[in-house]
Amino acid sequence: MKVVFQGLLGIAFGVLLLWMALSGIDGAAISAALAQANIAYLLAGVGLFWIGVLFRILRWQALLTPVRMLTFWQVGLALVIGYAVNIILPARLGELFRADFLRRRFEVARSAALGSIIIERLLDAVVVGGLFAIGLLAAANRQFDPALITVAYGAAAAIVIGCLGVCMIVFFEHRLPFARFPRLAARVSVMAQTLAIVRGPIVIRCALVTLLVWSAESLAILMMVWAFGVAVSLSGLCLIVGAASLSTMLPSAPGYIGSLQFAFILTYSALKFDAVHGVLSATATQVMLMGSIACVGVGLLLIDNARAPARHLRATFRASHASRVKTPATEVRG
């Protein structure tokens, strides 16, 4: 029931933002700008986006190392499917699906998987928040919509709270009042083992990979902007990427419909660009970038489910064969 409520709330919130974003937009202007879109930039953006996905797989593989050594393909399978579900379902339910998929498919504890996802999202939030701050500071002489300032304060508060929460679990796990809840205490203990990465050098390497992730994805969004003839500065790109990415971290409708359009229009208005181009750039990001990973993820999920009976049969055969060839230690041969 809680998940259904979150989903409905996300859809309602996305519809409201979409209505606010599209109010006053001329349909004829959208058609004219769409007809002049540069297909080459759109395709280049897709390629850059998937380079970022490859870096994301490498990062998550490193974060899961203390829990279990998984191959690049295994981690990539779970990540791409999880991202696809995140895009298709509302309220970012794909994060829970990704953790559950790792548990079912590769026997990784759900709490440990969630711990790695928390670190992953915090690293993203820090970089995205930094990009957003750079964009705001570089254009400090402009009149910003109050919504942008609210997003800035909200993002800063969320990052601080997230970092404090991780530190509490990592450094003060045994002092937390979970004695009356043994199941919860066990799950927090497993999650703490993953979160303990923040103490070691792995998190530094993951932070560097995060910079590569967002360099590739920022260039991908730049291609979506250039595709509609908008010449944006580096600081302007930081503002667009920061606002757009922060908007996807909120509970929203499937495909971040509404929230992404609203974020693009806010930043385009602050940068004195046409709102029509903002709507088209946001929609291109959804269709070309998010749409590509959604299609691949759904395809991989269908293939993986189709192979499930064969995997089960092989596992049963191996278990049966092992039980036949194993000789009990107490057996006496005469």
Side-chain angles (χ1 to χ4, degrees):
M1 182 61 68
K2 182 179 178 182
V3 172
V4 173
F5 176 75
Q6 289 176 340
L8 293 176
L9 182 63
I11 292 173
F13 186 57
V15 170
L16 174 62
L17 291 180
L18 184 63
W19 175 78
M20 294 173 62
L22 296 181
S23 59
I25 300 293
D26 184 10
I30 289 181
S31 299
L34 187 60
Q36 299 177 358
N38 190 313
I39 303 299
Y41 283 138
L42 295 175
L43 295 178
V46 174
L48 289 165
F49 175 76
W50 277 95
I51 292 175
V53 171
L54 295 179
F55 284 129
R56 286 185 179 276
I57 296 171
L58 290 172
R59 180 182 63 178
W60 198 28
Q61 185 182 28
L63 290 173
L64 288 169
T65 299
V67 181
R68 182 162 183 188
M69 296 293 295
L70 297 176
T71 66
F72 181 87
W73 166 252
Q74 290 171 331
V75 176
L77 180 68
L79 184 139
V80 173
I81 291 176
Y83 277 26
V85 173
N86 233 0
I87 293 167
I88 295 171
L89 296 182
R92 299 196 68 86
L93 298 176
E95 308 294 17
L96 297 177
F97 184 90
R98 181 155 51 124
D100 188 66
F101 183 87
L102 270 188
R103 181 188 65 81
R104 291 183 289 104
R105 188 69 172 79
F106 303 116
E107 300 179 351
V108 176
R110 188 187 290 110
S111 299
L114 284 174
S116 67
I117 292 172
I118 288 172
I119 297 177
E120 178 188 271
R121 289 309 183 188
L122 276 178
L123 289 171
D124 285 338
V126 169
V127 174
V128 167
L131 292 174
F132 192 48
I134 291 172
L136 287 175
L137 293 174
N141 60 332
R142 297 181 183 271
Q143 292 294 325
F144 289 112
D145 190 294
L148 275 179
I149 306 302
T150 302
V151 169
Y153 284 121
I159 292 171
V160 171
I161 292 172
C163 291
L164 288 176
V166 169
C167 290
M168 285 290 292
I169 294 177
V170 171
F171 297 102
F172 304 103
E173 174 206 347
H174 300 294
R175 300 182 183 179
L176 296 177
F178 292 143
R180 297 181 180 179
F181 311 98
R183 292 184 63 184
L184 179 60
R187 292 179 179 180
V188 171
S189 178
V190 173
M191 183 181 293
Q193 295 176 16
T194 306
L195 294 178
I197 286 177
V198 298
R199 297 181 176 182
I202 293 180
V203 73
I204 298 176
R205 295 200 298 270
C206 290
L208 294 176
V209 176
T210 301
L211 295 178
L212 296 176
V213 167
W214 284 102
S215 295
E217 294 193 3
S218 296
L219 290 174
I221 293 178
L222 179 62
M223 296 299 105
M224 301 299 107
V225 173
W226 280 359
F228 299 100
V230 177
V232 63
S233 63
L234 180 59
S235 60
L237 178 63
C238 289
L239 186 65
I240 293 171
V241 172
S245 302
L246 289 173
S247 73
T248 66
M249 295 181 180
L250 300 172
S252 58
Y256 312 108
I257 294 174
S259 57
L260 199 63
Q261 277 80 6
F262 190 71
F264 266 81
I265 286 181
L266 280 180
T267 53
Y268 270 51
S269 297
L271 298 170
K272 307 303 180 186
F273 296 140
D274 193 340
V276 170
H277 293 142
V279 171
L280 290 176
S281 296
T283 305
T285 300
Q286 291 166 325
V287 174
M288 301 298 295
L289 307 186
M290 299 178 185
S292 66
I293 198 169
C295 291
V296 173
V298 169
L300 289 175
L301 181 60
L302 293 175
I303 294 172
D304 190 70
N305 286 338
R307 292 178 175 176
R311 288 197 303 269
H312 179 71
L313 185 62
R314 287 196 299 269
T316 303
F317 175 77
R318 282 196 291 265
S320 175
H321 180 70
S323 64
R324 287 198 304 268
V325 300
K326 184 177 180 181
T327 302
T330 58
E331 180 180 351
V332 179
R333 297 183 181 182

